[in-house]
Amino acid sequence: GNSVTQMEGPVTLSEEAFLTINCTYTATGYPSLFWYVQYPGEGLQLLLKATKADDKGSNKGFEATYRKETTSFHLEKGSVQVSDSAVYFCALSDQGGKLIFGQGTELSVKP
Amino acid sequence: EAGVVQSPRYKIIEKKQPVAFWCNPISGHNTLYWYRQNLGQGPELLIRYENEEAVDDSQLPKDRFSAERLKGVDSTLKIQPAELGDSAVYLCASSPPRTYNEQFFGPGTRLTVL
């Protein structure tokens, strides 16, 4: 079945450091891929998405590229801020619109 | 534009008691989802509605869980009786017609079963 695996947290970085959160997936067909973010005490928010191979999703300085050959969708940001501290979820959407999430990666950015 | 509204935000109950959660989706969103998020895990779909019809309830534990969306707008998820393992955050999400790729989530209801 379809599944998403992302790197375990917590990830602790200093402000302005480079961020990578790895995400790989297993799916039949051609799923859409997403990164959602959950700030403390808030609901999940869509951060970025990509709907086909080689697409790059970007938002708020975050980027992720849909790599079909490596079945990956790694999240990157060149310079993190304290306000980026949150839990990040990688997800895929199958043909029927069902979202399948990874287990989440907690990011903590220290000043 | 108002987001997805859920209530209550927190609920603490004794095991074997019933509990209900309410969700009001974004206006105009005909697709509504209920997810369960266990501690340290990603959300898992329980049920998906297209208007008032449940089109995917394969992951809903039907012996104790039920859901309804009678008028195709707001929805209620019920657990009766609750078990200790039901402690989790219950998330509601909605999406516009024919736009499954973008789901908007509510803040969730955190359920603690003692």
Side-chain angles (χ1 to χ4, degrees):
Chain A
N2 297 341
S3 66
V4 174
T5 302
Q6 56 184 108
M7 64 186 286
E8 290 191 17
V11 173
T12 303
L13 296 173
S14 297
E15 208 166 20
E16 299 184 1
F18 184 86
L19 168 71
T20 300
I21 300 179
N22 290 337
C23 171
T24 57
Y25 67 91
T26 301
T28 55
Y30 303 95
S32 295
L33 301 175
F34 307 83
W35 278 99
Y36 278 83
V37 59
Q38 189 171 35
Y39 297 103
E42 299 184 15
L44 286 159
Q45 301 175 27
L46 178 65
L47 181 59
L48 53 85
K49 67 179 180 183
T51 58
K52 62 183 186 297
D54 300 324
D55 267 3
K56 178 186 283 188
S58 61
N59 186 25
K60 300 182 180 179
F62 291 89
E63 294 183 339
T65 301
Y66 190 142
R67 301 285 188 198
K68 191 171 185 299
E69 63 276 13
T70 55
T71 62
S72 65
F73 193 55
H74 305 321
L75 181 69
E76 296 182 336
K77 187 175 185 182
S79 176
V80 292
Q81 306 299 313
V82 172
S83 58
D84 294 327
S85 298
V87 181
Y88 292 81
F89 292 91
C90 185
L92 66 82
S93 174
D94 65 14
Q95 304 302 324
K98 177 179 175 179
L99 276 176
I100 296 170
F101 289 86
Q103 75 273 28
T105 302
E106 181 181 359
L107 170 66
S108 177
V109 181
K110 306 297 184 184
Chain B
E1 176 181 272
V4 176
V5 179
Q6 291 188 247
S7 68
R9 290 294 308 276
Y10 305 91
K11 188 75 177 178
I12 301 174
I13 61 172
E14 301 277 338
K15 64 180 180 182
K16 300 185 182 180
Q17 295 298 304
V19 65
F21 315 122
W22 178 80
C23 171
N24 193 354
I26 293 172
S27 177
H29 287 195
N30 65 321
T31 307
L32 183 146
Y33 313 78
W34 282 104
Y35 289 84
R36 178 169 60 188
Q37 185 177 14
N38 292 316
L39 187 64
Q41 301 295 317
E44 294 180 325
L45 181 69
L46 292 173
I47 189 168
R48 174 166 69 97
Y49 282 93
E50 295 284 348
N51 299 305
E52 64 274 9
E53 181 182 1
V55 297
D56 183 357
D57 63 356
S58 56
Q59 302 301 310
L60 189 72
K62 298 181 183 63
D63 57 335
R64 298 183 300 106
F65 285 65
S66 64
E68 61 183 17
R69 194 185 184 200
L70 294 177
K71 297 183 179 178
V73 181
D74 56 350
S75 175
T76 302
L77 178 68
K78 298 178 181 178
I79 309 175
Q80 183 171 10
E83 297 179 351
L84 295 177
D86 296 330
S87 294
V89 176
Y90 292 83
L91 296 166
C92 180
S94 68
S95 60
R98 299 176 299 280
T99 312
Y100 308 118
N101 276 339
E102 187 152 359
Q103 297 181 21
F104 296 81
F105 284 80
T109 296
R110 181 177 297 278
L111 173 67
T112 302
V113 182
L114 302 176

